[in-house]
Amino acid sequence: MKTVITYGTFDLFHIGHVNLLKRAKSLGDRLIVAVSTDEFNQGKGKTTLVPYDHRVAILESCRYVDQVIPESDWAQKRTDIAKHNVDVFVIGDDWKGKFDELSDLCEVVYLERTTDISSTAMKQAILVFTQLQKDLL
Ligand code: C2G
């Protein structure tokens, strides 16, 4: 049983997340996703639109995801890898090089990000749309 793990906020679940999870799952038999809690995201300077428990439920509904755990601390990765017998750590290449120090515990893979989509861009589009709606009323 080859176990893969990845970490992220996964706000406003979109095709970039799906592509990442699909490719991550293809690297093993089981995919664990550690989802950033709302409090941890505040520490990342990220404000999420979708609350943690909804982001968990959305990921649990994804065919590529076998288990969802909370990410509440930058330093939990080593413990998670040991606890869940992880063989492969995967994350998008916007993080390239940032987690190389995990390579003594497991394989570290950076996957190419999907272009032209991001939760941030979606939030901006929602703001513009909301403003346009107001202007039309
Ligand atoms: N992603 C992607 N393509 C996009 C957007 C995101 O491949 N267009 C990937 C990211 O590279 C990441 C995952 O989808 O691997 C989740 O993205 P975010 O929710 O933005 O995750 P992030 O806030 O970067 O959190 O400890 C690690 C952090 O928790 C990562």
Side-chain angles (χ1 to χ4, degrees):
M1 168 79 75
K2 192 171 184 184
T3 298
V4 182
I5 197 167
T6 191
Y7 292 74
T9 302
F10 297 97
D11 194 21
L12 296 173
F13 198 61
H14 56 66
I15 191 63
H17 298 141
V18 172
N19 290 339
L20 187 284
L21 296 172
K22 183 176 183 178
R23 287 173 295 162
K25 179 61 182 281
S26 73
L27 297 174
D29 306 298
R30 181 170 76 120
L31 174 61
I32 300 171
V33 180
V35 189
S36 312
T37 61
D38 294 335
E39 297 73 21
F40 183 58
N41 273 317
Q42 281 166 10
K44 284 197 234 177
K46 272 195 165 186
T47 48
T48 48
L49 281 183
V50 180
Y52 172 73
D53 55 342
H54 290 195
R55 290 184 282 117
V56 168
I58 291 164
L59 281 161
E60 285 175 340
S61 73
C62 176
R63 66 169 60 186
Y64 305 116
V65 177
D66 297 289
Q67 183 180 1
V68 179
I69 62 174
E71 179 187 29
S72 53
D73 185 318
W74 287 110
Q76 71 181 74
K77 294 182 175 68
R78 299 190 76 86
T79 315
D80 291 345
I81 289 166
K83 179 179 173 187
H84 296 281
N85 299 311
V86 170
D87 301 287
V88 188
F89 168 92
V90 173
I91 200 160
D93 63 4
D94 45 321
W95 291 92
K96 192 159 183 62
K98 298 288 193 312
F99 299 112
D100 292 353
E101 84 275 0
L102 298 174
S103 56
D104 63 310
L105 294 174
C106 65
E107 189 183 349
V108 176
V109 176
Y110 299 101
L111 296 174
E112 194 174 335
R113 270 175 74 93
T114 301
T115 54
D116 303 327
I117 186 95
S118 73
S119 305
T120 306
M122 289 173 77
K123 285 178 207 166
Q124 286 160 351
I126 291 168
L127 283 173
V128 170
F129 178 76
T130 310
Q131 191 55 50
L132 283 172
Q133 289 285 84
K134 281 183 190 157
D135 296 349
L136 289 173
L137 290 179

